[in-house]
Structure formats: structure tokens, C-alpha cells
């Protein structure tokens, strides 16, 4: 049996990179894996070195869950829940903290990157990877679909699970990261050397899943390309990063191979090509926006789905945590 677990932070509006890079793969796994569990990791979002705004965290949490439903996460086949609703995550983090060394967290690349030059670095940020390990280990997840940037976090989860099992007895299943071949690496439209991400500075470089068609069109039409006098449409990430990114986006949204797209568009100039990309992206996002609007009009239904997801998640996480507590010798409270 394969159980899949993944999570996403509610730290910004969902964009094309989230959709094509992560969610398309989550949807595929929903079809192929025995069990899929997807989590809006709000406890991770409050570790951010930038002081967070409580009202927007709440709004973003609902927005992200609603967007996941809108793209096709099926709350019957997948378990969809909000991390903080299942308090086992925080408690399991504490137990795992006690088998984690200071040194192994200090050298985590993402911690170094996120803490560098900051005046205030929370202990929460330092502990971020342990919370992530708890997310994964509580569910005995076998596979964790994530981007390359999460490799070290999954490795740590594996190490902590293994160390715990070694010290206290077999409790946790050791997970492995899976990097889907189908996932697109969507780059920023204004700076195709960097990934499309919420931390990007230029709004113009990010296509949001819920952007109005006109905005999508505008952003794609003003995407940075290059000054090739022949305006060749070829796939070469080094020499033509902007054009390559647009080709990959077009391929991902249409399901057509890049080679076919080159054959069709090379020689027609950048203008026409961008129009084709914009149209395809708009068409792909249209039903998602419609579905999102429907769901957003019925917030009680989304709340119900999340409550059900949390109950299902708790039914797995609860017993795992129980076993971990017992294995460590924590006295069971009288029933
Ligand atoms: N750290 C992950 C990211 O930024 C999000 C995350 C939190 C996650 N918990 C997880 C991903 C558990 C996979 C499994 O992308």
C-alpha cells in the first residue's frame, strides 16, 4: 500500500508554479496511490521571519484549501485538512525535537537561507524541519511529493524516524521524497532565472491561479524573452530561459510535447507565440476560477470538508502519536 502525504504553506496566493509544479502531480497521485493526504500547513506559515498578519493568514488558509478543491482535489478520495486542526502535529514535533540535534538543524540549507541577515529569527523557524517531519511521520507516509528544494527536509524526516525507531522501537515508517517527472518547473516571467514563487518581488512575473483572464494575458505578453534577432522559439534553458519557460508552461497546460510546440510556433515570432501561451493558460485556468467562485460562495461547505478532513487525519495521527508517547515512556493518562 502506498500512502502519499504533502503540504503547502498558506503564505501567498496560489500561482501557476504551485499548480503546474505541485498540484498537477497531487492530482495524478490521487488517481494512482492507495491513499493521498494533503495538508494546508498553517503552523509552518507562522515561522516566517517576516512578522505575519493574523487576518491574512486566516484568509489565505481558507483560500488555499478552496483552491486545492477547485483544481480537483477530491475530498472523498483525498484527505484534505488544515495542519493546526490536528494538534497531534505540534505534540509530535516536541517528541521528535528530543531526538533531533541542534547541529543537524543549524546546517539545514533552508534555515540558513531564510535566517541570514534577519534581525529576528524565531525558534519556530529553526524547528521548521522537525514540524515537517512530524507531518510526514504521523501518517506513515511512504511517498512525499515535493520540489527539489525540499530534499533535505525529507531526508531529515527519514533520519529522525529511523533514530526514533532505533532508540525506542518501531513506531514510524520511513518516507521517501518523490520528484515527479511530470512536474513543470515554472519560472518567473520577469526573471526566468528564478522560480515563480510568492517571495518574488515583481508581481508581473507571477501568474496567479485566480487572476482575471485579462491580467493573465497581460503578464504573459510582457514576459521577458531575449533579443534574438531571429526570434527563434527553441528550448534552451541557458541561452533562451524566457522562451523555454513559456514553452514549458504551454506544454504543461496543453499536455503537448515541447517538440510539437516548437514545430508549430518557431518562425512565427514572439508576439504570436505569447498570445498562444496566454490563451492556453487562460483556458486551463477558466474552469478552476469558476469552480473556486462556486466554492467561495459556500464557505460553510468548505468548512465542513476541512472538519471532515481533520477528523480523518486525526484518526491516523492520533494512534501514531499514542504509540510514540508510549514508546518513549510517557505515562499514559488514566482513561
Ligand atoms: N516545507 C514544505 C514547502 O515549503 C511544505 C511542507 C510542510 C510539506 N510540511 C510538509 C511538504 C510535509 C511535504 C510534506 O514546500
Amino acid at each position: 500500500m502506498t500512502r502519499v502525504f504533502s503540504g503547502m504553506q498558506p503564505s501567498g496566493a496560489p500561482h501557476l508554479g504551485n499548480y503546474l509544479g505541485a498540484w498537477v502531480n497531487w492530482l495524478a497521485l490521487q488517481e494512482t496511490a492507495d491513499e493521498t493526504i494533503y495538508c494546508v500547513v498553517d503552523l509552518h506559515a507562522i515561522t516566517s521571519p517576516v512578522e505575519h498578519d493574523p487576518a491574512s493568514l486566516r484568509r489565505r488558509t481558507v483560500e488555499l484549501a478552496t483552491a486545492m478543491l477547485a483544481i480537483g482535489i477530491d475530498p472523498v478520495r483525498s484527505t484534505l485538512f488544515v495542519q493546526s486542526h490536528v494538534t497531534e502535529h505540534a505534540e509530535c514535533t516536541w517528541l521528535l525535537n528530543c531526538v533531533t540535534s541542534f547541529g543537524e538543524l543549524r546546517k539545514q540549507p533552508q534555515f540558513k537561507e531564510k535566517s541570514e541577515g534577519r534581525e529576528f529569527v524565531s525558534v519556530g523557524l529553526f524547528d521548521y524541519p522537525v514540524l515537517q517531519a512530524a507531518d510526514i511521520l504521523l501518517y506513515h507516509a511512504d511517498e512525499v511529493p515535493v520540489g527539489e528544494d525540499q530534499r533535505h527536509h525529507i531526508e531529515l524526516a527519514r533520519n529522525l524516524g529511523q533514530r526514533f525507531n532505533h532508540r525506542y522501537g518501531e513506531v514510524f515508517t520511513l518516507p521517501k521524497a518523490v520528484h515527479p517527472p511530470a512536474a513543470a518547473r515554472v519560472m518567473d516571467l520577469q526573471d526566468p532565472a528564478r522560480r515563480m514563487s510568492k517571495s518574488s518581488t515583481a508581481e508581473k512575473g507571477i501568474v496567479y491561479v485566480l487572476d482575471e483572464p485579462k491580467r493573465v494575458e497581460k503578464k504573459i505578453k510582457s514576459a521577458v524573452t531575449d533579443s534574438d534577432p531571429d526570434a527563434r522559439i527553441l528550448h534552451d534553458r541557458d541561452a533562451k530561459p524566457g522562451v523555454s519557460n513559456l514553452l514549458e508552461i504551454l506544454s504543461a497546460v496543453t499536455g503537448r510535447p515541447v517538440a510539437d510546440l516548437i514545430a508549430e510556433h518557431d518562425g512565427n515570432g514572439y508576439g504570436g507565440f505569447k498570445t498562444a501561451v496566454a490563451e492556453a493558460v487562460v483556458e486551463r485556468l477558466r474552469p478552476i476560477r469558476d469552480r473556486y467562485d462556486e466554492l467561495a460562495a459556500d464557505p460553510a461547505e468548505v468548512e465542513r470538508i476541512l472538519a471532515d478532513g481533520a477528523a480523518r487525519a486525526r484518526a491516523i495521527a492520533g494512534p501514531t502519536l499514542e504509540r510514540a508517547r508510549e514508546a518513549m515512556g510517557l505515562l499514559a493518562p488514566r482513561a
Side-chain angles (χ1 to χ4, degrees):
M1 191 188 110
T2 329
R3 186 183 275 156
V4 167
F5 184 101
S6 198
M8 193 176 283
Q9 286 195 50
S11 53
H15 54 70
L16 203 59
N18 299 133
Y19 177 49
L20 299 176
W23 288 343
V24 163
N25 182 50
W26 291 15
L27 291 175
L29 288 164
Q30 181 172 260
E31 302 299 323
T32 57
D34 296 299
E35 204 175 337
T36 39
I37 306 175
Y38 297 128
C39 184
V40 177
V41 293
D42 55 348
L43 295 174
H44 278 108
I46 60 175
T47 64
S48 157
V50 186
E51 211 180 309
H52 81 275
D53 169 43
S56 55
L57 176 64
R58 223 168 348 252
R59 183 171 49 78
R60 294 269 184 234
T61 301
V62 178
E63 180 186 63
L64 189 60
T66 308
M68 287 177 181
L69 293 167
I71 59 117
I73 299 297
D74 172 355
V76 175
R77 280 183 295 167
S78 293
T79 298
L80 174 66
F81 74 105
V82 174
Q83 187 185 33
S84 67
H85 292 179
V86 181
T87 55
E88 280 83 352
H89 290 243
E91 189 176 344
C92 186
T93 301
W94 184 257
L95 305 189
L96 293 173
N97 274 338
C98 299
V99 299
T100 308
S101 80
F102 189 84
E104 68 193 328
L105 291 187
R106 190 176 39 192
K107 64 171 202 255
Q108 283 289 320
Q110 211 157 67
F111 173 70
K112 285 203 219 159
E113 206 178 287
K114 285 196 191 171
S115 60
E116 206 170 85
R118 301 278 178 179
E119 196 180 312
F120 181 87
V121 177
S122 73
V123 174
L125 182 69
F126 188 63
D127 209 27
Y128 180 115
V130 182
L131 177 59
Q132 184 164 348
D135 295 343
I136 297 165
L137 294 172
L138 276 172
Y139 298 92
H140 302 287
D142 308 285
E143 295 188 355
V144 185
V146 281
E148 271 297 329
D149 63 328
Q150 294 296 310
R151 209 182 62 236
H152 293 98
H153 286 162
I154 312 305
E155 233 167 71
L156 182 80
R158 221 186 138 76
N159 290 340
L160 297 184
Q162 193 163 38
R163 193 175 306 150
F164 186 102
N165 288 350
H166 182 72
R167 285 194 191 167
Y168 303 113
E170 289 295 319
V171 172
F172 297 119
T173 303
L174 306 186
K176 68 167 191 292
V178 290
H179 308 292
R185 246 175 97 232
V186 180
M187 311 305 274
D188 190 293
L189 296 177
Q190 290 299 313
D191 181 2
R194 54 182 287 180
R195 301 237 334 235
M196 188 176 282
S197 103
K198 17 203 171 207
S199 54
S200 173
T201 41
E203 286 280 304
K204 271 174 36 186
I206 309 170
V207 173
Y208 295 105
V209 172
L210 303 173
D211 269 347
E212 306 255 327
K214 281 245 168 328
R215 286 194 72 124
V216 174
E217 206 181 298
K218 206 167 155 208
K219 286 173 178 175
I220 292 177
K221 287 197 171 164
S222 52
V224 168
T225 48
D226 51 56
S227 50
D228 177 354
D230 300 324
R232 295 295 305 273
I233 293 163
L234 300 173
H235 191 274
D236 182 338
R237 280 223 178 254
D238 298 320
K240 300 176 82 70
V243 172
S244 302
N245 186 36
L246 292 173
L247 275 169
E248 287 195 29
I249 290 172
L250 185 57
S251 169
V253 297
T254 58
R256 296 177 56 197
V258 167
D260 285 10
L261 301 172
I262 291 172
E264 182 180 334
H265 295 282
D266 188 25
N268 300 342
Y270 290 159
F273 174 55
K274 284 177 172 178
T275 304
V277 177
E279 272 172 16
V281 172
V282 165
E283 282 323 306
R284 181 70 185 256
L285 296 181
R286 190 185 303 283
I288 296 174
R289 285 189 69 216
D290 291 347
R291 180 85 185 105
Y292 183 93
D293 290 342
E294 270 173 47
L295 286 158
D298 189 0
E301 172 64 3
V302 175
E303 275 177 29
R304 192 198 58 73
I305 289 169
L306 293 176
D308 175 62
R312 282 160 56 183
R314 218 174 285 124
I316 305 171
T320 311
L321 180 65
E322 197 71 25
R323 282 177 58 201
R325 290 170 49 111
E326 195 183 308
M328 287 184 107
L330 297 167
L331 181 66
R334 221 175 101 170

